[in-house]
Amino acid sequence: MQSLWKDLRFATRVLWRSPGFSAVALLALVLGIGANTAIFSVVNAVLLRPMPFVDPGRLVSIRESSPQGEKYNVANPQNVADWQKRNHSFEQISAYFPYDLTMSLTGGGTPEEVPGGYVTRGFLSTLGVHPAMGRDFLTEEELPTAPDVALLSDGFWRRRFGADPHIVGKKLTIRGNPTTVIGVLPAGFRFPDVKADIWKLTTLHPETQRQGQGRYLAPIARLRPGVTRSQAQAEMNVIMAQLAREYPDFNRNWGATVIPLRQQFTGDLRTPLLVLLSAVGLVLLIACANVANLMLMRSSSRQREMAIRTSLGATRARIVRQLLAESLLLGIAGGSMGLMLAVWAKDLLLAMLPDSMSVAKVNSVTIDGNVLAFTVALSLGTAVLFGLLPALRASRPDLSDTLKEGGRAVSSSLRRNRMRAALVAGEMAVALVLLIGAGLLIRSFIRLEHVAPGFEPDHILSMRIGLTNPRYRDLKATSSGLDEILHRIAQVPGVVSTGSIQFPPLGGVLPATGFWVAGRPTPNPSEAPVTGVSIVTPGYFPTLGIPLISGRLFTERDQQATPQVTIVSQSLARQQFPNMDPIGQRLFVQWSRETPYQIVGVVGDVKHDGLDKEARPTVYFPNAQETQNIATLMIRTGGDPTKLAPVAEQIIHAYDKDQAIANIQPLDMFLSKAVARPRFQSVLLAIFAGLALLLAAIGIFGVMSYSVAQRTHEIGIRVALGAQSDQVLRLVVGQGLLLALIGTAAGLAGAFALTRYLRTLLFNVSPMDWLTFTTLPLVLCAVAVGASYLPARRAMRVDPMQALRYE
């Protein structure tokens, strides 16, 4: 230990005497280790650290699998109730609404639309969570006659009620109904799929027909001790086969899939996160190659020192240990500063994280023990990686040449040059792999951004309201109230048009149900084709610029007392009426009525589910006929829509002082959120690729500069013998370009092998996209030529007389 301490003290003095070398090496290591630590902190939170629930390894998600092949469909409440009764694999089964919902809170302050969630009894106990204050839901509160009760999140309790210690037992008006607060959840409680501040109870309604309930719950369960997921899956297969025989009209060909709860939330995050971690790992590899090159160059200048040590009796192992101590010191310093950089970079990453990666917010992204261990291992590993080869090289000096006055150990230098050249070519290859990966993701992102969503989002303000106050006593009052609010807003100067829809496009929610064409054989409900369902007011289509293909739009004449009508999307019309006019045809929709709806119009397709997904067939109902108490107002303006927000709020509160308003934002924000994840992936990978290219350029610049310095004598002789400046330029730049071409060939081979793993992250771009694979190698070669140009310029200015005196 004392000997190691002496080595470290000597290494400190050596590095302190070489500030330029130490600064450049540290900068490369700090960038590489810091970026790796920051990305790993996110990977750790999302993929590695246990979810903050009791014994999370036994938590699973159960989803129904549809006859159309969808494995992770939401479940029917009655089926969930049967699962609870018939299974022997789970301690508990509960469920929740997997949708972003809001609940109107009125009375006792400013009306507010609060994020809310519905869960079945036992949801919290399934997770192993207990309220910090008060109690959980009770069995008797599931009865239809039971009074409304709610749990509050800790943050909402503190923000809205000032952490009132007597909040339990108080009555709030939620969605127009008096509701008793029964408890407050723990401060750290978060559930990935529900952003709720108010939690209310939903029941499984065992007395209700399955067809009337549809499928809308996301069940979770806790495995019994000793029961494996495969055993639970086998039992669920048996239970679903029983339900298919007992209720063939509803459950025929439906199954159930049991998956770990973490996988439910991280399944589509694993690949992009591992790609980013691999990318930043490659950046660190380039940084290590750069530092190794620096150490190889530096070891050349220390050949005489090593030769003297050897001649005085130092063993090769002793010299290697001393040089590794210098590498270790650099690695520790780089790791320490990299960790400080990661603390800052982590916050930047969190600010960039899209909402779709909300599971990272369940496990806080922190520098915990796992991250610290990762950083320590990374620092020590990189120290060995970049230090071992230079140490082994330097520990074998050529004593006869090195100790001669002016000896240059030419053959040894050539060998070292080949090693440095190989490292730089490797850097170029890795940089090209990252460049191509980033190029593919950027091209994919650009194509996704240019996908037509089916509507015109510019200059539209959206806001959500819930018409649940007592004044909306029936469907007619609710419908007329919404119409009046839209009419008043439409009179404001600068407003072009107004309309509303229950759930906005790209908002994450689109109710769906089965349907069939009247006059054709009626399918079993379990085998009926599925359509999305939207409730709109007459002004919705013109406000959003959704084109009318044929027929007419809804008008004020479409009321409760008039015939039931519907407008269908172009994809539904094409699917069901390929060679005929759909106008006048009638559809049965498993919605709320048993009579068919007459098709009066066909409109363009709208991408409700995502820009990267096919537009779902959709039916639209007029709000006056299928009135809902949740509406998203759409207000088209002639200018900046955000300036209208205060005016619209005043108008709504002038009409109904207790009306809560939520999600006030321009409609184009929905488009921005729809591309948030590919934007996040593209930006980060582009940053890493740019950093890799910069490090590779520095590497080739260093090697060529050192090569020119070593060959000053040779270049002087060439100039003395008549070599022109352009010939010297071609000589040096040609060597740099040769390294780039070797690296490009290796990089292309690596990219061909690795980019197929990006397939699931790409949209309308092939992993072998020819434009990316031809353009970026040219960019890499251009950068290599540019990095070689400055050393070449210095070589062109070599004075033959000075060069001939070099030795």
Side-chain angles (χ1 to χ4, degrees):
M1 183 60 70
Q2 187 176 2
S3 177
L4 176 62
W5 179 245
K6 288 181 180 179
D7 286 343
L8 290 174
R9 282 191 301 173
F10 181 73
T12 303
R13 291 197 298 270
V14 170
L15 293 175
W16 185 259
R17 289 198 298 265
S18 305
F21 161 79
S22 300
V24 173
L26 274 178
L27 179 61
L29 292 175
V30 168
L31 290 175
I33 294 175
N36 272 272
T37 301
I39 292 293
F40 181 77
S41 67
V42 177
V43 172
N44 177 54
V46 176
L47 300 181
L48 301 180
R49 197 191 312 162
M51 300 185 79
F53 309 125
V54 173
D55 200 359
R58 290 199 286 135
L59 290 174
V60 296
S61 173
I62 309 175
R63 293 298 179 99
E64 293 199 37
S65 50
S66 70
Q68 291 79 22
E70 185 179 355
K71 292 181 65 178
Y72 305 120
N73 197 71
V74 284
N76 172 260
Q78 254 82 68
N79 285 347
V80 177
D82 282 326
W83 298 347
Q84 289 178 335
K85 297 173 187 174
R86 304 186 188 195
N87 91 87
H88 299 90
S89 298
F90 306 106
E91 283 184 354
Q92 276 186 298
I93 298 178
S94 57
Y96 65 96
F97 275 35
Y99 313 111
D100 288 337
L101 302 174
T102 57
M103 298 179 182
S104 301
L105 176 65
T106 56
T110 305
E112 185 178 357
E113 281 283 326
V114 183
Y118 285 95
V119 297
T120 63
R121 187 179 58 81
F123 177 78
L124 292 177
S125 58
T126 301
L127 297 174
V129 174
H130 304 282
M133 292 175 56
R135 61 171 176 82
D136 201 346
F137 299 111
L138 301 177
T139 304
E140 54 266 30
E141 287 166 346
E142 291 185 300
L143 299 174
T145 56
D148 284 354
V149 293
L151 289 162
L152 307 181
S153 72
D154 178 84
F156 180 62
W157 168 59
R158 295 180 185 277
R159 176 179 65 80
R160 176 81 185 204
F161 303 101
D164 178 6
H166 306 295
I167 189 67
V168 176
K170 288 193 174 181
K171 288 191 180 296
L172 308 177
T173 303
I174 299 175
R175 303 199 70 185
N177 299 315
T179 304
T180 302
V181 177
I182 61 170
V184 177
L185 294 170
F189 175 73
R190 299 179 184 89
F191 191 72
D193 221 16
V194 182
K195 304 171 188 175
D197 284 326
I198 297 177
W199 296 79
K200 297 193 71 176
L201 189 64
T202 186
T203 62
L204 299 179
H205 299 297
E207 73 284 354
T208 308
Q209 291 184 354
R210 293 170 200 273
Q211 288 87 338
Q213 284 295 296
R215 289 177 164 89
Y216 57 83
L217 288 180
I220 63 171
R222 179 175 290 276
L223 292 168
R224 293 185 185 277
V227 176
T228 65
R229 184 169 60 87
S230 59
Q231 290 171 332
Q233 179 65 68
E235 184 180 45
M236 289 302 299
N237 293 341
V238 172
I239 293 173
M240 285 305 292
Q242 293 171 353
L243 295 178
R245 289 193 298 270
E246 294 169 19
Y247 308 99
D249 288 349
F250 191 74
N251 282 323
R252 182 179 298 164
N253 297 326
W254 282 81
T257 304
V258 181
I259 58 174
L261 187 63
R262 178 188 286 278
Q263 183 181 328
Q264 174 67 38
F265 302 124
T266 64
D268 57 348
L269 301 179
R270 180 176 296 273
T271 298
L273 282 178
L274 292 181
V275 165
L276 291 175
L277 187 62
S278 301
V280 78
L282 292 178
V283 171
L284 180 61
L285 191 62
I286 294 176
C288 288
N290 260 353
V291 177
N293 248 329
L294 286 172
M295 296 192 76
L296 281 170
M297 294 176 192
R298 190 163 168 273
S299 66
S300 296
S301 65
R302 298 176 67 184
Q303 282 182 329
R304 188 173 181 81
E305 172 195 341
M306 298 305 159
I308 292 173
R309 283 177 170 231
T310 302
S311 64
L312 292 176
T315 65
R316 188 183 184 194
R318 183 69 184 81
I319 293 175
V320 168
R321 193 178 74 184
Q322 175 59 55
L323 294 176
L324 280 179
E326 296 176 21
S327 302
L328 182 63
L329 205 60
L330 280 174
I332 292 172
S336 301
M337 288 186 279
L339 187 62
M340 291 187 284
L341 175 65
V343 172
W344 171 82
K346 168 185 69 69
D347 294 334
L348 182 62
L349 273 176
L350 283 178
M352 295 172 62
L353 276 181
D355 288 341
S356 58
M357 301 180 80
S358 60
V359 71
K361 300 165 189 173
V362 175
N363 278 334
S364 299
V365 179
T366 56
I367 306 298
D368 62 5
N370 287 346
V371 179
L372 286 174
F374 174 82
T375 306
V376 170
L378 200 62
S379 303
L380 297 179
T382 52
V384 173
L385 186 63
F386 69 73
L388 186 59
L389 182 61
L392 291 174
R393 286 281 184 179
S395 66
R396 298 178 62 183
D398 188 331
L399 298 181
S400 60
D401 282 343
T402 303
L403 294 177
K404 288 178 184 177
E405 186 68 31
R408 300 182 61 226
V410 175
S411 62
S412 178
S413 295
L414 289 176
R415 284 197 298 272
R416 287 192 175 91
N417 279 338
R418 285 198 294 271
M419 179 56 65
R420 287 192 288 271
L423 284 173
V424 169
E427 290 181 45
M428 303 298 279
V430 174
L432 183 59
V433 171
L434 285 177
L435 279 173
I436 289 177
L440 291 172
L441 285 179
I442 290 171
R443 275 179 56 76
S444 172
F445 172 64
I446 291 172
R447 290 197 174 183
L448 190 63
E449 271 201 319
H450 285 82
V451 169
F455 59 92
E456 299 170 8
D458 298 334
H459 306 296
I460 293 181
L461 180 70
S462 69
M463 56 181 66
R464 184 187 297 179
I465 61 174
L467 304 170
T468 55
N469 297 336
R471 69 182 297 168
Y472 309 113
R473 58 193 177 277
D474 54 31
L475 296 180
K476 184 176 181 181
T478 303
S479 177
S480 61
L482 178 59
D483 290 341
E484 180 62 22
I485 289 173
L486 291 171
H487 174 73
R488 293 189 182 192
I489 294 175
Q491 307 309 309
V492 175
V495 173
V496 176
S497 62
T498 61
S500 80
I501 185 172
Q502 189 181 15
F503 300 106
L506 300 177
V509 180
L510 179 62
T513 189
F515 76 101
W516 61 93
V517 179
R520 297 180 186 175
T522 303
N524 289 318
S526 63
E527 298 173 343
V530 176
T531 178
V533 179
S534 287
I535 313 297
V536 301
T537 58
Y540 173 74
F541 296 111
T543 298
L544 263 69
I546 299 172
L548 176 66
I549 307 301
S550 63
R552 67 171 178 87
L553 299 177
F554 297 135
T555 69
E556 303 296 337
R557 296 190 299 274
D558 297 314
Q559 297 292 325
Q560 284 281 345
T562 61
Q564 298 168 198
V565 295
T566 184
I567 291 174
V568 301
S569 65
Q570 191 173 15
S571 58
L572 188 146
R574 189 165 47 242
Q575 178 192 94
Q576 297 296 325
F577 310 101
N579 300 310
M580 58 189 300
D581 185 3
I583 304 302
Q585 298 292 327
R586 295 180 304 148
L587 293 180
F588 284 98
V589 181
Q590 294 173 339
W591 189 244
S592 60
R593 306 193 187 194
E594 296 181 358
T595 53
Y597 299 82
Q598 186 178 40
I599 299 174
V600 296
V602 178
V603 294
D605 286 326
V606 173
K607 289 184 175 287
H608 271 269
D609 299 318
L611 295 175
D612 58 340
K613 296 179 174 61
E614 291 294 326
R616 194 192 303 188
T618 305
V619 297
Y620 298 90
F621 298 135
N623 187 68
Q625 292 186 348
E626 296 290 349
T627 306
Q628 300 292 310
N629 55 21
I630 296 176
T632 302
L633 309 187
M634 300 291 180
I635 307 166
R636 179 171 290 279
T637 68
D640 182 0
T642 58
K643 294 181 179 178
L644 185 71
V647 180
E649 287 187 82
Q650 290 175 7
I651 290 173
I652 293 171
H653 288 148
Y655 175 76
D656 181 354
K657 64 181 178 61
D658 291 327
Q659 180 58 59
I661 308 170
N663 295 356
I664 303 173
Q665 58 185 322
L667 188 60
D668 54 18
M669 285 297 295
F670 288 98
L671 280 176
S672 179
K673 291 176 182 176
V675 296
R677 190 191 295 181
R679 184 195 299 117
F680 172 76
Q681 296 162 183
S682 302
V683 168
L684 276 190
L685 199 57
I687 291 172
F688 298 151
L691 183 58
L693 186 61
L694 176 63
L695 290 173
I698 292 172
I700 200 168
F701 171 80
V703 164
M704 298 314 300
S705 295
Y706 189 76
S707 175
V708 167
Q710 277 192 318
R711 299 175 65 185
T712 300
H713 183 70
E714 173 199 337
I715 293 171
I717 293 175
R718 286 175 179 266
V719 173
L721 293 177
Q724 300 299 311
S725 295
D726 60 334
Q727 292 175 311
V728 175
L729 178 69
R730 286 198 299 272
L731 174 69
V732 177
V733 172
Q735 288 180 341
L737 183 59
L738 177 62
L739 290 179
L741 290 174
I742 295 171
T744 298
L748 283 173
F752 276 119
L754 295 176
T755 52
R756 68 178 186 272
Y757 295 108
L758 296 179
R759 188 179 302 275
T760 59
L761 305 182
L762 301 178
F763 174 75
N764 281 353
V765 174
S766 167
M768 304 300 172
D769 179 62
W770 68 270
L771 184 62
T772 304
F773 273 82
T774 53
T775 304
L776 292 178
L778 295 178
V779 171
L780 186 71
C781 291
V783 169
V785 169
S788 304
Y789 181 71
L790 290 178
R793 291 265 299 181
R794 191 165 72 246
M796 291 164 58
R797 296 193 181 99
V798 168
D799 184 341
M801 295 302 296
Q802 295 293 329
L804 293 175
R805 295 194 192 102
Y806 187 67
E807 295 187 348

